[in-house]
Amino acid sequence: MEIEIIDAELSICKVMDYSQANLNEDFCFTGKTNEENSLVCKTSSVPPNVIARDDDWRAFRIKGELDFSLTGILSRISSILAENKIGIFAVSTYNTDYILTKAKNFDAAINALRDNGYTINQN
């Protein structure tokens, strides 16, 4: 399976609303519940109406479009990273899964995946 590195510094945020977020960025995830409005975006694009933020994240995605019938893909990756004491923040889209790790752990995460048979591609 191929992993593609996302070349961006990312932040995970809680925002008042999305009115000041640049939703047209090439890398932007939103999540809304009855309790919060979450935003994952490039650190340089964190909006001014942020309530809380956590910077210094990096990401990679599983390359290609994943069929909904596939099972265990995210579980396998998260298990490999957990065995290496690397925490993750996962986001899924219609096409694929994105996995974020703290920047300080990113190289170790990529190396662990490579050591477990994943092909790593630079974006």
Side-chain angles (χ1 to χ4, degrees):
M1 183 158 292
E2 290 185 56
I3 299 293
E4 185 174 52
I5 295 173
I6 306 297
D7 187 23
E9 295 176 16
L10 303 169
S11 295
I12 301 170
C13 308
K14 186 189 298 188
V15 294
M16 293 290 294
D17 58 44
Y18 300 113
S19 64
Q20 296 178 9
N22 182 356
L23 301 180
N24 292 318
E25 277 281 347
D26 60 349
F27 197 89
C28 176
F29 294 102
T30 61
K32 180 175 176 37
T33 70
N34 63 332
E35 296 182 342
E36 67 177 299
N37 297 310
S38 292
L39 174 70
V40 177
C41 64
K42 291 182 179 178
T43 301
S44 60
S45 298
V46 171
N49 66 341
V50 67
I51 298 169
R53 68 188 276 179
D54 193 1
D55 298 329
D56 300 320
W57 291 85
R58 297 277 316 275
F60 58 87
R61 70 176 143 223
I62 301 166
K63 185 128 169 93
E65 293 185 24
L66 303 178
D67 187 276
F68 289 126
S69 65
L70 296 174
T71 59
I73 294 171
L74 188 56
S75 174
R76 181 162 184 253
I77 290 172
S78 63
S79 292
I80 291 167
L81 298 181
E83 289 169 8
N84 286 274
K85 310 248 185 288
I86 299 170
I88 67 167
F89 184 91
V91 179
S92 296
T93 65
Y94 189 89
N95 286 344
T96 194
D97 296 317
Y98 291 76
I99 294 90
L100 287 74
T101 70
K102 290 300 271 187
K104 67 182 180 181
N105 298 323
F106 190 74
D107 289 339
I110 293 301
N111 289 333
L113 292 170
R114 184 181 287 118
D115 291 347
N116 280 275
Y118 288 86
T119 302
I120 310 299
N121 296 320
Q122 196 70 27
N123 185 2

